[in-house]
Amino acid sequence: MRAWLVAEGGLLITATGTASFQHPWTSAVTRLIAGVNATFGEERYRYLRRRIFCDGEISTWDRNLVKVCAKRITQCENSTEDYAAQVTSATRVVDVGMDLLADKDSERCIPSLGTRITHRDAMILIAEITSSEQDKFSGAKLHQAPRRVACLLLDREGEILGANVNTNAGSQLRHAEVNLLLSLAERGMSSIPTGATLFTSLKPCRMCAAAIVPHVQSSSLRIIALNDDPGPHGRHQILASSLQVVSLS
C-alpha cells in the first residue's frame, strides 16, 4: 500500500506500508503522517493540510487519524496511473515512511507495572499524573507543550498494565492512548485483555477510539473518563456501539 501528498513547489512526499487492520501502526497513511512529523518539524502543519492520497482501502483508523492529524484523504481509483503521473510531474520526491513506535518519554509518570490498585485509587492517580503534567509545562508556549492528558490500564484484578501521557507537542499522533497501545505492543501485548479497565483524564478522541477498538478482546473493555471532551474530535460514536464508556464530568 502507498500513500502520498503533493506539497508546494512540486514536492511529492510518499510512504509505503501494510494495510493490516490488526497493526495500524505500519499502514502507509500512518507511516506518511509520522514521517512528515519527524522530517519537517513545524512545517508539517503546512504539508498535512494538503490532501493525502492512497492506493488501498482506507481503514477506520487511517480515516480518523487523518481527521485529527491532517486534513483530508482520498482513495485513488487508478492508483498506479495516478501515482505515476505525480512522480513524473514532481520536481523532488521524498520518501518519509516511518513506523509509529513506543515513546519512552510518554512513560515518565508510569507507576510500577504489576502493582494492584483499586478503581478509586486509579482515578486519583490519573488526576495526580495530569496535575504533574500541568506543572511540568507551566509557562511553556502552547505549541511546545503537549495537551495534559493521561491514561492508565488495569486488568480485571486491578493490576497496572501500563500508564502513559500525551507527548504530542512534536507529533499530533502522540496521544496518551496511542502511546499506551504502542508501549503494550513493545512489551509483547498485541491486545487489551478481557475484563480490563482503561482510565483516562479525557474521553478518547476519534483517533484514539479507532486505535482502541481493534485491540480489545471480546469487546469487554470498560473506559472511565474523568472529563468529557467538548472538542470536535470528542463527538464520535466509535466506542459507544461496542464498549462501555463512562464519563464522570
Side-chain angles (χ1 to χ4, degrees):
M1 182 178 178
R2 179 188 292 113
W4 69 92
L5 61 85
V6 181
E8 298 95 332
L11 173 63
L12 180 66
I13 304 173
T14 74
T16 56
T18 65
S20 172
F21 184 69
Q22 296 269 333
H23 302 283
W25 324 123
T26 61
S27 80
V29 176
T30 304
R31 298 186 84 234
L32 176 70
I33 294 177
V36 169
N37 274 274
T39 304
F40 296 103
E42 292 191 15
E43 282 190 298
R44 66 185 182 271
Y45 299 110
R46 181 157 56 94
Y47 294 145
L48 291 176
R49 281 198 290 266
R50 300 282 177 156
R51 184 178 297 277
I52 293 173
F53 297 92
C54 70
D55 62 4
E57 183 179 354
I58 303 172
S59 69
T60 301
W61 155 257
D62 283 335
R63 192 175 298 281
N64 285 281
L65 166 67
V66 168
K67 286 181 181 294
V68 173
C69 298
K71 193 72 174 179
R72 55 184 71 87
I73 187 169
T74 295
Q75 180 180 348
C76 292
E77 294 182 3
N78 301 307
S79 56
T80 302
E81 293 85 349
D82 291 337
Y83 182 70
Q86 297 284 11
V87 171
T88 300
S89 61
T91 57
R92 185 161 63 106
V93 180
V94 178
D95 183 71
V96 296
M98 176 181 294
D99 286 347
L100 197 57
L101 303 175
D103 181 2
K104 293 301 181 185
D105 190 44
S106 175
E107 299 176 348
R108 55 178 172 258
C109 296
I110 193 170
S112 298
L113 292 175
T115 302
R116 289 192 179 185
I117 61 175
T118 66
H119 282 198
R120 180 177 181 278
D121 287 341
M123 288 186 281
I124 293 173
L125 182 56
I126 280 291
E128 289 177 348
I129 293 174
T130 307
S131 177
S132 174
E133 290 293 288
Q134 185 76 34
D135 294 340
K136 180 181 177 70
F137 292 98
S138 63
K141 294 180 180 179
L142 286 178
H143 72 282
Q144 295 175 334
R147 194 174 186 185
R148 281 60 136 190
V149 178
C151 64
L152 171 72
L153 182 68
L154 301 184
D155 68 10
R156 65 163 73 238
E157 282 79 34
E159 184 174 307
I160 297 175
L161 299 178
N164 290 74
V165 295
N166 265 14
T167 52
N168 65 339
S171 172
Q172 305 100 303
L173 293 83
R174 292 293 184 180
H175 289 199
E177 297 91 334
V178 170
N179 282 333
L180 173 69
L181 292 170
L182 289 167
S183 294
L184 294 178
E186 188 177 69
R187 287 187 271 119
M189 295 181 62
S190 59
S191 61
I192 297 174
T194 300
T197 302
L198 176 66
F199 297 86
T200 68
S201 57
L202 191 71
K203 176 187 173 184
C205 72
R206 63 188 314 123
M207 176 183 73
C208 294
I212 290 169
V213 169
H215 287 87
V216 177
Q217 293 181 5
S218 307
S219 300
S220 63
L221 178 67
R222 187 182 188 215
I223 299 175
I224 298 178
L226 300 191
N227 297 284
D228 202 3
D229 186 348
H233 298 308
R235 297 194 292 268
H236 62 81
Q237 299 298 316
I238 297 171
L239 299 172
S241 61
S242 57
L243 304 174
Q244 183 181 2
V245 183
V246 179
S247 180
L248 303 182
S249 64

